[in-house]
Amino acid sequence: MTLAPDLVEPVVVWRVWNVQDAGGRPELVSPVQASPWPSRESTAATCGRCCGRVASASCSCGLYGYHDVLRTEGDWSPGRVLGCAALGGRVVQHLDGYRGQFGYPLVLFVHTLLPDPRLERLIDIVFEDMPERPDLHLPDRRLVRRLADAYAVPVRGVSRPRIAADAVTARSTAAAAVAEEAARGLPARRDGDSRAHDRLDAVVENLAAAWAGSADR
Amino acid sequence: MHIGPPVRELTVEPVVSPVPDGDHPGRPAALRPAPTVPTPRTGARREPRVPTPA
């Protein structure tokens, strides 16, 4: 007898990763267990306690994530990546999040330390008549591009995200829209539907704007 | 990561794999092509600004 699944769309969670170099390619790594999330393949959780049934309600193993992006923002520091991930297989729902058997990132946001806009304008003035202007963003731009190439998911750099207590609703709502569109639009994006890509781009930009502080102005 | 007490166990089988190459291993992932950024030719120099008479 085959049991029908409870869900046919992935469960979407928010979490952070560190980035390590894996033979010249950036690789996401869990900050707690230091276990890698490989690119272009599903990450399969393992159990160190040998529960024999990964991501079961009776154990604590699995790939973790929160329901709400606000729970992850405190761990999002420069160089770290925050994003939503799809969980599948056996998934245990918890009060504030989920843990699952398999996972893959859906959308990634890189915390960058891009220079202050005033410094950018000053450089524009100083180098106005010079043939080459220094690109202070180069390392961060490279990481964003290389992560997108490696994982083949949308990656957005966010410069000095503003995690203010007065705009939690804007960020939480914008993040929920990203999570929903990332999961719902997956079949259409896979088929190359440009409108589905546009929809995801729009909600990703909206969340980035919420971190930039423009959504509550 | 403290996600609170467990509520229920689910079986999740996405119809479309979230792994970009998961459904069509022979087909590249459906990502938009990166926009091209024009790079100046080697030795190209920006023309100095000519002040416009008032």
Side-chain angles (χ1 to χ4, degrees), chain A residues 6-183:
Chain A
D6 298 300
L7 293 171
V8 291
E9 270 183 13
V11 166
V12 182
V13 294
W14 291 92
R15 54 169 293 132
V16 294
W17 292 269
N18 290 329
V19 182
Q20 71 177 13
D21 182 73
R25 288 163 67 99
E27 187 173 60
L28 299 174
V29 185
S30 170
V32 179
Q33 293 286 344
S35 55
W37 283 54
S39 58
R40 311 290 178 116
E41 61 180 277
S42 191
T43 302
T46 54
C47 181
R49 295 175 189 165
C50 286
C51 71
R53 196 166 171 268
V54 174
S56 66
S58 58
C59 193
S60 60
C61 57
L63 306 170
Y64 280 60
Y66 287 112
H67 294 303
D68 197 332
V69 72
L70 302 176
R71 295 290 303 271
T72 63
E73 288 176 332
D75 297 325
W76 194 24
S77 50
R80 270 192 169 173
V81 176
L82 182 151
C84 58
L87 297 184
R90 209 167 16 253
V91 176
V92 182
Q93 181 183 1
H94 286 247
L95 200 59
D96 296 325
Y98 290 93
R99 65 191 158 86
Q101 187 179 7
F102 302 108
Y104 195 82
L106 289 171
V107 181
L108 300 172
F109 296 90
V110 182
H111 186 310
T112 63
L113 277 179
L114 300 185
D116 189 292
R118 288 169 297 184
L119 179 60
E120 289 278 284
R121 281 196 293 276
L122 181 65
I123 288 172
D124 280 341
I125 293 166
V126 171
F127 288 88
E128 186 179 8
D129 294 327
M130 305 293 278
E132 288 186 13
R133 177 191 179 287
D135 187 354
L136 302 178
H137 303 184
L138 201 55
D140 288 327
R141 282 192 181 138
R142 275 196 187 135
L143 178 60
V144 167
R145 187 69 244 157
R146 289 170 68 224
L147 274 174
D149 287 343
Y151 286 87
V153 297
V155 183
R156 174 74 157 76
V158 181
S159 173
R160 301 177 188 272
R162 184 172 163 268
I163 302 168
D166 60 335
V168 290
T169 309
R171 297 201 306 278
S172 186
T173 306
V178 170
E180 184 175 347
E181 186 58 44

Side-chain angles (χ1 to χ4, degrees), chain A residues 170-196:
Chain A
R171 297 201 306 278
S172 186
T173 306
V178 170
E180 184 175 347
E181 186 58 44
R184 287 267 161 83
L186 192 57
R189 293 197 304 278
R190 187 61 48 80
D191 280 343
D193 183 345
S194 63
R195 286 171 301 178

